Amino acid sequence: MYALHEAVPIPVVDPSQADGVYALLWLVVALPLAGAAILLVGGAIAPKPSDRFGHLLGTLLPIGSFALSLVMFLGLLGRDAGDRQVSQHLYTWFEVGHLNVGMDLLYDPLSALFLLLITGVGSLIHVYSIGYMEHDPRRRRFFGYLNLFVAAMLMLVLSENYLGLFLGWEGVGLASYLLIGFWQHKPSAAAAAKKAFVINRVGDIGMSLAIMLMFVQFGTTSFSGISAVSSGASDNVLNVLGVLLLLGACGKSAQVPLQSWLLDAMEGPTPVSALIHAATMVTAGVYLITRSNFIFELAPTAQTVVVVVACVTLLWGAVIGCAKDDIKKALAGSTMSQIGYMMLGAGLGVGGYAFAIFHLLTHGFFKANMFLGAGSVMHGMDDDVDMRHYGALRKAMPVTFLTFAMGYLAIIGFPGFSGFWSKDKIIEVALADNWLVGLCALLGAGVTGFYMTRLMLLTFITDKRWAKGVHPHESPKVMTIPLMVLAALSVLGGLMLAGGWIQDFLSPVVGTPPEEDLPVPALVISLLAVLVVAVGVATAWFLVGKRDVPRTAPQDVSFVTRAARADLYGDAINDGLVVNPGRRLVGGLLGMDRHGVDGVLTGGPVAIGAVALTLRKVQNGFVRSYALSLLGGVLLVVLALLAVNLA
């Protein structure tokens, strides 16, 4: 197996007991969790008053968590690098035999950055939702679900052991199911929610098996315990553990082959899409791989599998994004591709962990910005999602256009914008380790330039193609102010790289990145990446910007376009390999149960019952019947005696 990088020392999780403001760590999770309880349980008891203030309460509590997270982060900056891990023991969750699992929380540089992203971007999405969901009769319930989503994700990134992480992991799955299917009157929304739930359960099998194997192998599920002894485990065990964890990550982060739920999840309200794609669910897999660095660093085979899955996914998602006319689904394909970049960075090990998290953070800013911008466009276009029905919206919606443009420039990697810095570092590390992997990352950057430019042209630049009676207009301030904040972060997010801050800050968790042996100077790689992106942008301009855009998608297209429109036949592959064989297997087992097992078990009693029914007719209570039976019996005896004597 080809080693992607040289071995480096692996940090051991060794936190100190939480004190001071860190004693309030539990409150970061408890605030949104309390919001969910009040809005969902309390709201069911007293719906009228909670409907009036529910959206405000549901927004203020995550903001409270953000304020607390910010104070803790500033406190962490004042500590020495070796003193930036603290833990808080809340209570013993359960104790069975040798397995003792505590409800313990871990706060370190990795969880600190996630807390700021989840609560910060999550709070902005809550504020935006006040306007977006203003006329929805179930708005209070919607905010309750949002709070539950945030609380589960916070639990996921704060737990000090894999079982606590799994608790948050399942909570995120439940909340996403509730939110994707929020408009349950739409059959498509209900189906999308069910699809996301089922596919994520496939990934959860990997997570469950990994946790069981950890207990068998190490006798514990805590990060500190496993990181201290993982170097003593065999290569096979560590590689199996890594692959099982990757299976879980593929489900939550929509990586091939468990990616097909992500595009259907666009059936949920747009703020849900922003929350899933930017601050919560899809980032969970990247967090899991990075948090488990003490396993993956010792499992080169599993690391290679992570890199292969990441390369396939980043190109898969990019190709899908090229052919979608639904603005949300184009952004969803983009998310799949960008998460592929993050997984690639994490798969490259110590050299890439910090840059994977860096891109995760900048992506959280510009993708939330663009998803909420898409919601603003839909708000002004009577909920039409087809970009072929837009065009020239820059004049009608100037704030949405300008803020969206900041996100666009960031995601294509325009020099100076946040995405340029974060994606460029992953491409550098990829080229340093393996030229083929680096080439995939470069190619993905070019395709990103194409599909995002196509989206901008179809939506904001080309001639207007609105239907008669549609009057596009700017969204209210409660929706545009979060867009402005996220646009600013999309521009300035790259400052985290200044002076190597992000690498130094994360080094106590993921190790210090080694000096990369680049095939060419870093400046040349940056120029090459910009050139590839420019080719993608120019291609989109000539294919879309310079031509008339029909209101309906042309059907006389190439095979590649048809495949991209069909999500590269992801559903067909799943149906052929898993769903249909599974359905036939279940049908066969059902038939065997009905006609085989049930036949044997019920056939005997039925036969006995039939005999009993026949014999019961003899016992009818009439004397003449009994006399006839007696006569018959006597005749049978006589005939038997004659037969014996004459024989």
Side-chain angles (χ1 to χ4, degrees), residues 144-199:
Y145 291 160
L146 283 187
N147 278 196
L148 179 63
F149 208 162
V150 170
M153 190 67 192
L154 290 171
M155 182 67 214
L156 192 157
V157 300
L158 272 178
S159 174
E160 198 281 328
N161 56 64
Y162 281 98
L163 272 177
L165 185 154
F166 194 60
L167 178 67
W169 191 271
E170 291 303 301
V172 167
L174 170 63
S176 66
Y177 170 77
L178 295 171
L179 284 167
I180 293 170
F182 181 74
W183 286 325
Q184 54 193 251
H185 58 278
K186 296 168 58 180
S188 56
K194 187 168 66 175
K195 185 176 183 180
F197 190 83
V198 170
I199 291 181

Side-chain angles (χ1 to χ4, degrees), residues 478-532:
V478 72
M479 292 170 64
T480 55
I481 289 176
L483 292 179
M484 295 177 195
V485 176
L486 290 167
L489 291 171
S490 302
V491 178
L492 302 174
L495 290 175
M496 287 184 282
L497 190 65
W501 180 83
I502 188 81
Q503 301 99 304
D504 293 340
F505 185 66
L506 287 172
S507 62
V509 182
V510 299
T512 303
E515 288 291 331
E516 299 291 353
D517 185 17
L518 299 176
V520 292
L523 180 60
V524 175
I525 294 176
S526 297
L527 290 175
L528 188 60
V530 171
L531 179 62
V532 170

Side-chain angles (χ1 to χ4, degrees), residues 251-614:
K252 277 289 182 287
S253 291
Q255 300 291 285
V256 174
L258 302 180
Q259 84 289 351
S260 63
W261 66 268
L262 190 66
L263 271 72
D264 290 11
M266 296 302 99
E267 290 291 337
T270 302
V272 174
S273 305
L275 197 59
I276 288 177
H277 288 247
T280 56
M281 190 163 178
V282 297
T283 64
V286 183
Y287 172 81
L288 178 67
I289 302 295
T290 306
R291 172 62 77 191
S292 306
N293 63 89
F294 42 80
I295 292 173
F296 282 95
E297 283 305 305
L298 300 170
T301 302
Q303 271 191 326
T304 304
V305 177
V306 173
V307 169
V308 171
V309 168
C311 286
V312 171
T313 306
L314 78 85
L315 294 175
W316 190 294
V319 171
I320 288 176
C322 292
K324 293 296 179 185
D325 293 330
D326 183 323
I327 187 171
K328 290 177 67 178
K329 290 193 174 182
L331 289 174
S334 162
T335 296
M336 192 189 304
S337 179
Q338 299 304 310
I339 297 292
Y341 275 105
M342 299 170 209
M343 294 291 279
L344 174 59
L348 292 171
V350 175
Y353 288 128
F355 301 131
I357 300 303
F358 181 32
H359 194 54
L360 187 151
L361 295 171
T362 60
H363 176 265
F365 302 149
F366 59 69
K367 188 51 65 71
N369 174 21
M370 288 190 289
F371 258 114
L372 296 185
S376 181
V377 169
M378 292 162 55
H379 182 265
M381 295 293 293
D382 295 344
D383 289 329
D384 192 343
V385 296
D386 192 336
M387 293 186 289
R388 292 183 179 277
H389 301 167
Y390 298 164
L393 289 180
R394 64 187 183 282
K395 294 179 180 176
M397 309 178 74
V399 177
T400 300
F401 166 63
L402 289 174
T403 54
F404 198 100
M406 299 301 105
Y408 160 72
L409 293 173
I411 193 173
I412 67 170
F414 192 84
F417 286 73
S418 61
F420 167 77
W421 303 108
S422 56
K423 195 186 299 182
D424 194 64
K425 296 306 292 185
I426 293 176
I427 294 174
E428 278 184 22
V429 178
L431 279 171
D433 279 303
N434 185 297
W435 67 269
L436 184 58
V437 174
L439 195 61
C440 288
L442 266 177
L443 181 60
V447 182
T448 302
F450 172 80
Y451 70 72
M452 285 307 305
T453 304
R454 175 179 179 269
L455 187 152
M456 281 294 288
L457 292 171
L458 288 175
T459 304
F460 294 106
I461 307 297
T462 46
D463 295 336
K464 70 177 185 181
R465 301 176 296 279
W466 316 330
K468 190 176 292 184
V470 175
H471 303 288
H473 55 276
E474 190 56 272
S475 298
K477 287 184 178 179
V478 72
M479 292 170 64
T480 55
I481 289 176
L483 292 179
M484 295 177 195
V485 176
L486 290 167
L489 291 171
S490 302
V491 178
L492 302 174
L495 290 175
M496 287 184 282
L497 190 65
W501 180 83
I502 188 81
Q503 301 99 304
D504 293 340
F505 185 66
L506 287 172
S507 62
V509 182
V510 299
T512 303
E515 288 291 331
E516 299 291 353
D517 185 17
L518 299 176
V520 292
L523 180 60
V524 175
I525 294 176
S526 297
L527 290 175
L528 188 60
V530 171
L531 179 62
V532 170
V533 170
V535 170
V537 172
T539 305
W541 173 254
F542 283 109
L543 293 181
V544 179
K546 298 286 285 183
R547 299 180 180 181
D548 292 334
V549 178
R551 273 182 59 83
T552 56
Q555 298 303 308
D556 184 18
V557 293
S558 66
F559 169 75
V560 176
T561 303
R562 288 198 300 274
R565 286 177 180 173
D567 305 343
L568 297 182
Y569 303 110
D571 284 339
I573 294 171
N574 288 341
D575 286 347
L577 294 180
V578 180
V579 177
N580 290 335
R583 187 175 292 158
R584 284 194 289 271
L585 176 64
V586 171
L589 292 174
L590 186 61
M592 184 185 298
D593 179 62
R594 284 178 176 171
H595 305 296
V597 178
D598 285 359
V600 170
L601 294 179
T602 61
V606 169
I608 295 172
V611 172
L613 187 63
T614 303

Side-chain angles (χ1 to χ4, degrees), residues 1 45 119 128 135 200 240 245 257 285 339 435 464 485 601 609 623:
M1 183 58 60
I45 299 172
T119 59
Y128 176 96
H135 302 296
N200 270 276
V240 170
L245 290 174
I339 297 292
W435 67 269
K464 70 177 185 181
V485 176
L601 294 179
V623 175

